[in-house]
Amino acid sequence: MDATSFSGLLPHTDLNPNFARSYAQRTPLTSVSCHSLQEHRPSSQALAFLSSNKTSKRTSLLGGSNVCGPVQKRNSVGKAFCAVGLGVYGENVIEHQSHSHATEDKVGVLLLNLGGPDTLNDVQPFLFNLFADPDIIRLPRLFQCLQWPLAKLISVLRAPKSKEGYASIGGGSPLRKITNEQADALKTALKAKNLTANVYVGMRYWYPFTEEAVQQIKRDRITKLVVLPLYPQFSISTTGSSIRVLQSIFREDAYLSRLPVSIIRSWYKREGYVISMADLIKKEMEKFTKPEEVMIFFSAHGVPVSYIEDAGDPYKDQMEECINLIMQKLKDRGINNDHTLAYQSRVGPVEWLKPYTDKVLVELGQKGVKSLLAVPVSFVSEHIETLEEIDMEYKELALESGIENWGRVPALNCTSSFITDLADAVIEALPTASATAMSTPKSVLEEDDLDPVRYAIKLFFGSILAFVLLFSPRMILAFKNNLF
Ligand SMILES: C=CC1=C(C)c2cc3[nH]c(cc4nc(cc5[nH]c(cc1n2)c(C)c5CCC(=O)O)C(CCC(=O)O)=C4C)c(C)c3C=C
Ligand SMILES: [Fe+2]
């Protein structure tokens, strides 16, 4: 398990050294979450958060590299509260601080998740929030002012296709319900281990938003917080994005910036998780007439290749390691079936992690594979991509391609061994009384970005470039091929 304890700050160390430097520099100070707040949040909350919002500036590519930060501010926590030492994290100076709590600790666990539309009317605004996230559509610096218009355009264009998908699984995402059930189950599991804790749910793109959960944490006067993203593997686009939202909230708030916090950034290596996955796979394999002939087909949510190659996202490495651990666990139980890993759900005109699930299914069918067990592996709840994409689209494609026997491993949801292991993870990660804070040097880009003349010039050239980009053959082809 990869966890960090600190007080009011959120460093990332999952990243490769090159990226860690640039990402750590921008991450603690990025203020982006309010992009999505402005359109689709209750106004009182929006106001509360907007009041702490700063202009966000980023540099990246649509699936390209990301090297600079937004308006950056020195974190003053270390000065306000008895700094007792200095350390170094990446290129940042860390000020260590101590905390002592006179009153009894009140433990909170914050589950971070993606969120999904509750109804078909929510689909377009949900998609807007998703595409307005600079960790999902990574625009070059010059194009950043176009993040919202682009998000609006893409969300409107994609909404009909997404709505069809959500309509076919009952008219909305099951994520909110399942995540709430996981939260309740985790609270019970913690209680059984003698830890009384409040468990909160914070979604990145739909209700209940992370910001709402944090407000509740404040109201409840939580004194120790464990942040547990419900993604086993770390990706910039999932856990990274949610953590960045938390950072922007925490650094602006006196109470939160003093709160001892632990973040469990990835947990795919945990024995309990690996065993739970192996158990589910074994159980599902036994439903086949000839289990020994079944191809175990891991299907993970993809990310653009540039996240891995340019931005240093550890997602692919962690995914491969995760699959090896699960297969090893199956081998220990005498299960030696063939297995493969492919990536699904690509969006847009850039190259995504390969091999693509749809292509591999066709190839396996052509090669004579007759029995296949699909295993969704990047997410722990049922959601549109298991219920619609795998169960409907991929199943149909596999059967058309010559595969005769199809099975799918259910998502972990509230599987008790899994929830018990999450409870152990929380207990192991409980922040200690002493924690660290990090201050980052003010970026040289800050003054640059605040200069109105420079900003107007960038906006002008950015608009021209955006126009060229939008009507480039690649974009037009992507729209034609239904990739958005
Ligand atoms: C580990 C899991 C996920 C990664 C990595 C991820 C990256 C990623 N996703 C998109 C675009 C979309 N994702 C959508 C839904 C969606 N994504 C995940 C998980 C990961 N995404 C989940 C669990 C869900 C489903 C939520 C639900 O309502 O059930 C959607 C909307 C659905 C659709 O229209 O297909 C989009 C769009 C990108 C671009 C990306 C990486 C850059
Ligand atoms: Fe996604």
Side-chain angles (χ1 to χ4, degrees):
M1 183 176 72
D2 189 5
T4 312
S5 290
F6 57 90
S7 181
L9 281 168
L10 307 109
H12 297 260
T13 53
D14 278 283
L15 309 167
N16 78 24
N18 285 341
F19 181 64
R21 272 195 296 276
S22 62
Y23 195 63
Q25 239 183 353
R26 83 189 164 104
T27 296
L29 304 156
T30 307
S31 176
V32 295
S33 58
C34 299
H35 283 183
S36 52
L37 295 177
Q38 286 179 325
E39 268 204 10
H40 308 293
R41 242 155 263 234
S43 54
S44 59
Q45 277 158 359
L47 277 177
F49 288 103
L50 282 172
S51 65
S52 69
N53 190 21
K54 300 281 177 282
T55 315
S56 173
K57 313 252 165 25
R58 306 161 298 275
T59 293
S60 56
L61 296 167
L62 185 59
S65 62
N66 195 344
V67 288
C68 76
V71 172
Q72 299 191 333
K73 288 183 73 201
R74 261 184 199 285
N75 186 303
S76 60
V77 175
K79 286 171 201 144
F81 302 94
C82 58
V84 292
L86 277 178
V88 174
Y89 172 77
E91 291 175 353
N92 301 296
V93 176
I94 302 170
E95 292 166 289
H96 295 283
Q97 335 164 32
S98 306
H99 286 269
S100 60
H101 296 284
T103 52
E104 209 173 284
D105 273 326
K106 214 173 160 199
V107 176
V109 179
L110 174 58
L111 299 181
L112 297 176
N113 211 339
L114 188 123
D118 296 314
T119 67
L120 295 185
N121 286 338
D122 299 336
V123 171
Q124 187 275 321
F126 159 76
L127 288 175
F128 172 84
N129 289 345
L130 187 126
F131 291 119
D133 178 356
D135 283 321
I136 288 283
I137 293 203
R138 316 183 77 232
L139 293 172
R141 200 168 153 65
L142 217 49
F143 294 152
Q144 279 159 18
C145 51
L146 297 160
Q147 184 95 35
W148 284 10
L150 206 58
K152 186 84 188 175
L153 179 72
I154 298 173
S155 63
V156 168
L157 289 171
R158 191 180 170 87
K161 186 180 168 188
S162 289
K163 273 187 185 174
E164 238 178 77
Y166 283 108
S168 73
I169 62 164
S173 172
L175 259 187
R176 184 176 189 161
K177 180 174 170 283
I178 298 173
T179 313
N180 283 336
E181 287 166 0
Q182 288 171 324
D184 290 344
L186 180 59
K187 188 180 166 88
T188 307
L190 287 168
K191 188 92 189 137
K193 290 175 184 287
N194 289 323
L195 181 71
T196 302
N198 287 1
V199 183
Y200 305 87
V201 171
M203 301 293 197
R204 179 66 183 87
Y205 305 116
W206 206 245
Y207 299 91
F209 286 103
T210 307
E211 295 82 351
E212 299 174 59
V214 172
Q215 286 310 305
Q216 193 57 49
I217 286 166
K218 270 186 79 176
R219 279 195 292 272
D220 291 346
R221 308 305 297 170
I222 291 299
T223 61
K224 275 186 177 183
L225 182 68
V226 177
V227 176
L228 174 57
L230 286 175
Y231 309 96
Q233 308 84 11
F234 180 98
S235 169
I236 295 166
S237 60
T238 53
T239 299
S241 171
S242 280
I243 287 177
R244 219 155 41 75
V245 168
L246 275 184
Q247 286 177 312
S248 69
I249 304 168
F250 272 54
R251 71 157 189 273
E252 299 292 341
D253 185 288
Y255 167 78
L256 294 168
S257 60
R258 268 178 282 158
L259 179 64
V261 181
S262 281
I263 298 179
I264 303 173
R265 292 177 308 250
S266 67
W267 40 270
Y268 65 94
K269 287 186 198 170
R270 289 189 65 84
E271 186 81 353
Y273 165 73
V274 174
I275 288 176
S276 304
M277 286 298 289
D279 286 347
L280 287 185
I281 294 171
K282 185 169 180 289
K283 192 171 162 200
E284 228 41 52
M285 278 179 69
E286 284 161 0
K287 294 183 183 166
F288 286 80
T289 329
K290 291 184 180 166
E292 65 288 352
E293 288 179 7
V294 172
M295 162 71 75
I296 302 174
F297 186 93
F298 292 97
S299 188
H301 198 303
V303 294
V305 169
S306 60
Y307 280 52
I308 313 297
E309 290 182 356
D310 305 333
D313 196 332
Y315 180 72
K316 180 171 179 279
D317 286 346
Q318 292 193 359
M319 189 58 72
E320 288 169 2
E321 196 184 353
C322 175
I323 268 85
N324 288 340
L325 290 170
I326 296 171
M327 286 312 298
Q328 188 54 54
K329 193 58 73 190
L330 288 169
K331 276 203 181 85
D332 295 345
R333 296 172 183 187
I335 296 170
N336 290 299
N337 292 49
D338 285 339
H339 76 281
T340 191
L341 164 65
Y343 293 91
Q344 64 177 85
S345 318
R346 62 185 189 277
V347 187
V350 296
E351 191 190 357
W352 282 54
L353 280 183
K354 283 186 180 133
Y356 297 144
T357 294
D358 48 0
K359 300 237 160 47
V360 180
L361 286 175
V362 174
E363 280 164 19
L364 290 176
Q366 286 167 351
K367 278 186 196 154
V369 170
K370 293 292 169 218
S371 301
L372 186 139
L373 178 62
V375 187
V377 72
S378 41
F379 207 61
V380 293
S381 323
E382 297 296 352
H383 61 291
I384 189 167
E385 282 144 9
T386 55
L387 300 171
E388 196 269 335
E389 204 171 357
I390 297 185
D391 288 356
M392 298 179 196
E393 287 181 42
Y394 293 147
K395 181 179 176 182
E396 195 184 322
L397 184 65
L399 297 180
E400 279 169 11
S401 307
I403 288 160
E404 290 167 5
N405 309 303
W406 169 272
R408 203 263 289 176
V409 169
L412 285 163
N413 291 342
C414 286
T415 304
S416 68
S417 57
F418 164 59
I419 298 291
T420 305
D421 188 57
L422 286 187
D424 288 336
V426 167
I427 291 165
E428 287 163 31
L430 273 177
T432 50
S434 65
T436 59
M438 182 165 58
S439 66
T440 305
K442 196 175 175 182
S443 164
V444 284
L445 296 160
E446 182 175 334
E447 288 91 52
D448 225 37
D449 289 343
L450 290 175
D451 180 334
V453 179
R454 277 169 193 265
Y455 194 73
I457 293 170
K458 281 178 191 169
L459 197 70
F460 176 72
F461 285 110
S463 305
I464 294 173
L465 279 169
F467 191 78
V468 172
L469 178 81
L470 262 182
F471 294 99
S472 67
R474 206 173 181 195
M475 278 302 243
I476 291 168
L477 206 68
F479 282 119
K480 269 193 185 153
N481 292 343
N482 234 355
L483 284 171
F484 276 116

